[in-house]
Amino acid sequence: MTPREASEKSEAICRLAPVIPVLVVHDPAHARPLAEALVCGGLPALEVTLRTPAALEVIAEMAQVEGGTVGAGTLLSPEDVSRAIDAGARFGVSPGVTDRLLDAAEAADLPMLPGIATAGEAMRLLDRGYTVAKFFPAEANGGASALKAIGAPLPRIRFCPTGGVSLKNAPDYLGLSNTLCVGGSWVAPKDRVEAGDWDAIADLAREAARLPA
């Protein structure tokens, strides 16, 4: 997969809904009902972060949910890419960028949302042929105003800002011409997941899905 093809596929995934849920799931038993609730609420693209021992099993369970597109987040190495694909991930997300990571994703035909925080990092992605990236950590790096400033000289690259994004500030990002969607964890609060309150999570997903993209 070329960087251009990867970016085209990543953009299509980002355009599925205004929000990609960022999920840290500890119990595989929660995987399928959580994915079903989010998809039912209108958020079909799901990022499962590789931050728990259960993450790969969670991806495998969520990959079986009809209507969902499950990706793996916190990819740091070629080995992470291989494990994510074996589990059923259809896209990858990383907090930063290395050539080894992108080489592995391209060789494995895994669309990526590679993370960047500066204009220089965005320019290096553009040099490689990528036109879609993750802006991370969004709020810590200046929020929507910083992303708008990056977009002025670099209009070819578009973003999914993640990190500190909430229902309250998501519209600030989504109103920017260089934002495709946002990533956020607020649609799957830990207490609601642990309680198995899937109706409440579906309601949060519906609220997020109504955000203007």
Side-chain angles (χ1 to χ4, degrees):
M1 179 181 292
T2 67
R4 178 178 177 180
E5 291 169 336
S7 289
E8 289 173 350
K9 291 187 176 182
S10 294
E11 180 169 349
I13 291 168
C14 286
R15 291 190 181 280
L16 290 173
V19 179
I20 295 178
V22 179
L23 308 171
V24 181
V25 184
H26 297 271
D27 186 348
H30 293 151
R32 193 181 292 247
L34 173 58
E36 289 172 344
L38 292 167
V39 172
C40 179
L43 303 180
L46 312 172
E47 177 193 341
V48 178
T49 62
L50 300 189
R51 301 182 193 177
T52 71
L56 293 172
E57 188 176 351
V58 169
I59 290 172
E61 287 293 320
M62 288 189 173
Q64 300 177 54
V65 173
E66 185 176 355
T69 300
V70 182
T74 324
L75 298 184
L76 305 177
S77 67
E79 293 74 25
D80 287 341
V81 170
S82 296
R83 293 188 301 146
I85 291 172
D86 289 344
R90 294 172 58 187
F91 67 97
V93 185
S94 61
V97 180
T98 68
D99 287 331
R100 289 180 67 242
L101 182 64
L102 293 181
D103 287 344
E106 290 165 16
D109 291 334
L110 183 71
M112 283 289 295
L113 278 173
I116 70 97
T118 67
E121 292 170 346
M123 288 175 64
R124 284 193 287 273
L125 276 183
L126 284 170
D127 277 347
R128 186 164 175 137
Y130 284 84
T131 56
V132 177
K134 167 182 170 177
F135 181 56
F136 177 82
E139 283 294 287
N141 277 306
S145 60
L147 189 55
K148 180 179 180 180
I150 288 174
L154 300 171
R156 288 178 50 222
I157 189 164
R158 296 189 176 186
F159 296 94
C160 171
T162 304
V165 180
S166 65
L167 180 66
K168 181 178 180 180
N169 63 20
D172 297 336
Y173 291 99
L174 292 169
L176 301 177
S177 61
N178 62 340
T179 296
L180 293 169
C181 66
V182 300
S185 60
W186 83 87
V187 293
K190 182 180 179 181
D191 59 341
R192 296 297 89 203
V193 173
E194 292 181 348
D197 193 348
W198 312 123
D199 288 340
I201 290 173
D203 287 341
L204 290 171
R206 291 186 189 97
E207 185 178 35
R210 289 194 295 267
L211 287 167

